[in-house]
Structure formats: structure tokens, C-alpha cells
């Protein structure tokens, strides 16, 4: 009797285990997330976005170089000490502007890339798209970099207007001394 009871319990347990395993098989696709990744560096270097960003950076670089040359032209009338101070100040301004322009262009490029990635994600029912540097191990078929590069072929990026650089010309001490200092008139007085 015990043996018969043990066999019935064992058969019920095995049947339950098989049924629970089989019932999970049809829900596998619903429960698993679909993940893809792309290489943003490759997208930037191989797509038209990267070429447009480089062209923009070259124009900005040329503008900054010209501003530097214009600034040097006014150093001729300065003393050596004034030249050094002015050159250092102008170089700092130009370097800061260059870094700001580079960051701005990269942000615009990445936002431009993000739009087709999101559209691709939605159209292909992908739950998550990661950057390649965030992936430790994944099937290479999940790499959508080439597809995104193809999506970007006809995209034109608007980086905005080019910067206008003006280097403030310092006034000589004589010009400052010759300026008249106007006294402010009190407002609201009728006298």
C-alpha cells in the first residue's frame, strides 16, 4: 500500500513538473525582453552625421583662428606686459569658445542619432537599445549599428548659426583718462 501511494504521488509530481514546464514555453517570448545595441562612435564616424559635424567644427575652427589673428594685430601698439596679459586673456576666451562649440555640436549630433534609434526600436519591437560600451556579452545579431547608419543617410543636421567672435579691444590708459565722467541726474526731481 505504501509503495502504491508513493508511486501515485511520484507520478502526480512528475506530471505537475512537466505541465508547469510546458505551460511556460508558450509565454517565453512575452516574458523575455528584446535587447539590441549599437556603437555610437562608429555611427558618428561612418554616417553623414559625423561628416557634417566635422565640417561644422572646421568652420568654427577657422573662425576662431581668424579671431586670434585679429587679436594679435592689436597687440602691436601695446607694451610687452599688456601684450602678454591680452594674449593670455584672448587665448583663454578662444579656447573656452572652442570647447563650448565642440560640446554643442556633439550634443546636437547625438540628439539627431537618438531619433532614428527610437523609431527603429519601436518599429522592431525592441525593449532596450544599449550603447556598445554598456554591453558585456550579447549575440552579434543584436548589433543595429549598420541599420542606424543606413537610416541616417539622408539626414541633415542643423547646428545653428556659426559663432561670431569679437575680441574686446582694451582702451589705452590715456583714452580712459580723457573720458568725461558724467554725473547721474537724480530721477523724479522736478527742481
Amino acid at each position: 500500500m505504501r509503495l502504491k501511494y508513493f508511486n501515485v504521488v511520484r507520478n502526480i509530481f512528475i506530471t505537475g513538473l512537466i505541465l508547469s514546464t510546458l505551460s511556460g514555453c508558450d509565454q517565453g517570448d512575452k516574458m523575455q525582453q528584446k535587447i539590441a545595441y549599437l556603437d555610437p562612435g562608429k555611427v558618428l564616424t561612418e554616417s553623414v552625421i559625423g561628416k557634417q559635424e566635422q565640417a561644422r567644427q572646421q568652420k568654427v575652427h577657422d573662425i576662431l583662428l581668424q579671431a586670434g589673428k585679429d587679436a594679435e594685430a592689436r597687440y602691436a601698439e601695446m607694451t610687452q606686459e599688456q601684450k602678454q596679459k591680452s594674449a593670455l586673456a584672448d587665448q583663454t576666451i578662444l579656447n573656452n569658445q572652442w570647447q563650448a562649440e565642440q560640446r554643442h555640436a556633439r550634443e546636437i549630433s547625438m540628439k539627431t542619432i537618438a531619433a532614428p534609434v527610437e523609431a527603429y526600436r519601436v518599429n522592431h519591437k525592441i525593449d532596450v537599445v544599449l550603447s556598445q560600451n554598456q554591453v558585456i556579452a550579447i549575440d552579434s545579431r543584436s548589433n543595429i549599428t549598420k541599420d542606424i547608419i543606413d537610416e541616417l543617410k539622408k539626414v541633415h543636421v542643423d547646428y545653428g548659426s556659426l559663432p561670431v567672435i569679437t575680441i574686446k579691444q582694451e582702451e589705452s590708459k590715456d583714452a580712459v583718462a580723457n573720458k568725461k565722467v558724467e554725473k547721474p541726474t537724480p530721477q523724479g526731481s522736478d527742481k
Side-chain angles (χ1 to χ4, degrees):
M1 177 91 158
R2 270 185 145 171
L3 186 58
K4 204 176 202 186
Y5 177 74
F6 177 73
N7 285 337
V8 170
V9 170
R10 184 180 62 132
N11 288 341
I12 291 172
F13 177 74
I14 291 173
T15 305
L17 184 62
I18 291 171
L19 288 175
S20 66
T21 304
L22 291 175
S23 67
C25 289
D26 64 342
Q27 295 178 7
D29 289 341
K30 294 176 187 174
M31 296 178 74
Q32 291 181 346
Q33 288 185 338
K34 191 170 179 186
I35 298 174
Y37 71 95
L38 79 142
D39 181 352
K42 189 172 184 178
V43 172
L44 279 171
T45 58
E46 294 183 12
S47 72
V48 296
I49 304 294
K51 292 173 179 70
Q52 291 175 34
E53 183 180 319
Q54 285 179 339
R56 163 69 178 214
Q57 297 292 34
Q58 186 59 50
K59 289 176 185 176
V60 170
H61 186 261
D62 293 344
I63 289 170
L64 293 173
L65 280 178
Q66 186 59 46
K69 289 177 184 176
D70 292 346
E72 286 178 15
R74 56 183 185 91
Y75 299 156
E77 300 170 2
M78 296 180 179
T79 65
Q80 188 62 27
E81 183 181 342
Q82 286 177 324
K83 282 181 187 180
Q84 288 176 345
K85 286 181 182 178
S86 293
L88 181 61
D90 292 345
Q91 192 62 41
T92 301
I93 290 169
L94 293 174
N95 284 337
N96 289 341
Q97 184 69 32
W98 174 241
Q99 290 173 4
E101 290 294 329
Q102 286 179 313
R103 279 191 305 272
H104 171 74
R106 181 54 51 94
E107 287 172 12
I108 300 274
S109 294
M110 294 309 290
K111 285 180 183 177
T112 304
I113 291 170
V117 169
E118 176 62 14
Y120 186 93
R121 184 193 71 75
V122 170
N123 291 338
H124 290 84
K125 295 179 174 61
I126 297 171
D127 295 314
V128 179
V129 177
L130 300 171
S131 173
Q132 183 176 359
N133 62 358
Q134 296 172 323
V135 175
I136 295 172
I138 195 167
D139 188 350
S140 64
R141 291 177 292 184
S142 299
N143 186 349
I144 63 170
T145 303
K146 185 177 179 337
D147 297 334
I148 298 302
I149 291 171
D150 291 341
E151 292 282 327
L152 293 169
K153 282 184 178 176
K154 296 178 182 170
V155 173
H156 176 72
V157 183
D158 181 14
Y159 292 102
S161 59
L162 289 168
V164 177
I165 309 296
T166 56
I167 303 294
K168 180 181 170 187
Q169 187 164 348
E170 293 182 16
E171 296 181 19
S172 68
K173 292 179 183 178
D174 295 334
V176 173
N178 290 335
K179 271 190 171 181
K180 290 184 178 180
V181 179
E182 296 181 20
K183 294 183 181 178
T185 57
Q187 293 191 12
S189 65
D190 295 336
K191 295 181 183 178

